[in-house]
Amino acid sequence: FFATYSTALKGGRNSFLMILLGRRYTGFLLSFIQDFVSGNEKARQSINKRMIGEAKEKSRMLDKLNMDPGGVCFTGSSTFTFWINLERDMKPVSGVYNAAFGGACTQHVLAVAEDLVINRKPSVIVYYCGTNDLAYRESNAEKVANGFVKFV
């Protein structure tokens, strides 16, 4: 994947992953995987910084929407991030918004929950997070469950 991605970037073309996810998310995903696989502390700090940056960008995007309190907030990781037709699929429910950011682990969602979720005063919160914690061996099922309890 890394070689195909680099070759596509240099040639001004899109790889299959770029077509599927878009250039920005593909670059982010591949660098995330590469950093994580290296497994060193510096890489983890880089990942955490990147996740918080993604969350802040999501927050700025949501700020531009000028949403009324009482909406339905979807938050968590990429399962929701890449749900591009979320608002359409949830009709006739109004005020649906997506506060998820790709690659997020529970610690990242907890770190930005106040800004992305609580301060926006949704009436319903749909939470999906923890699979990345388990996939990246950052956590176990008990820790993921405890993260959910902290979120609630």
Side-chain angles (χ1 to χ4, degrees), residues 1-32 34:
F1 283 118
F2 296 109
T4 304
Y5 176 70
S6 296
T7 302
L9 276 179
K10 289 175 187 171
R13 297 182 312 275
N14 288 333
S15 68
F16 174 73
L17 204 54
M18 291 167 145
I19 293 168
L20 186 66
L21 300 177
R23 279 182 174 242
R24 179 169 171 260
Y25 282 115
T26 300
F28 173 75
L29 177 65
L30 293 178
S31 65
F32 179 84
Q34 191 172 23

Side-chain angles (χ1 to χ4, degrees), residues 2-145:
F2 296 109
T4 304
Y5 176 70
S6 296
T7 302
L9 276 179
K10 289 175 187 171
R13 297 182 312 275
N14 288 333
S15 68
F16 174 73
L17 204 54
M18 291 167 145
I19 293 168
L20 186 66
L21 300 177
R23 279 182 174 242
R24 179 169 171 260
Y25 282 115
T26 300
F28 173 75
L29 177 65
L30 293 178
S31 65
F32 179 84
I33 291 168
Q34 191 172 23
D35 286 348
F36 192 82
V37 169
S38 69
N40 65 40
E41 187 57 34
K42 187 175 180 180
R44 289 190 203 292
Q45 290 172 356
S46 173
I47 291 167
N48 289 338
K49 184 178 178 181
R50 206 171 311 138
M51 288 292 103
I52 299 305
E54 284 286 313
K56 287 179 180 178
E57 185 175 322
K58 177 66 81 154
S59 179
R60 285 190 294 274
M61 184 198 77
L62 292 173
D63 288 344
K64 292 178 184 176
L65 298 178
N66 294 321
M67 298 174 299
D68 292 327
V72 179
C73 172
F74 282 71
T75 192
S77 58
S78 60
T79 297
F80 289 159
T81 304
F82 297 123
W83 191 350
I84 58 173
N85 296 317
L86 176 65
E87 289 180 37
R88 184 192 72 198
D89 293 345
M90 291 296 120
K91 287 203 185 266
V93 177
S94 62
V96 172
Y97 70 97
N98 193 334
F101 50 105
C105 290
T106 303
Q107 66 176 345
H108 305 127
V109 174
L110 290 173
V112 298
E114 189 168 334
D115 186 37
L116 286 178
V117 182
I118 297 166
N119 290 344
R120 298 174 195 285
K121 299 179 174 63
S123 59
V124 175
I125 300 169
V126 183
Y127 175 92
Y128 181 87
C129 196
T131 54
N132 289 333
D133 302 57
L134 299 173
Y136 304 139
R137 297 193 173 110
E138 286 290 299
S139 193
N140 58 38
E142 184 178 350
K143 288 181 182 177
V144 169

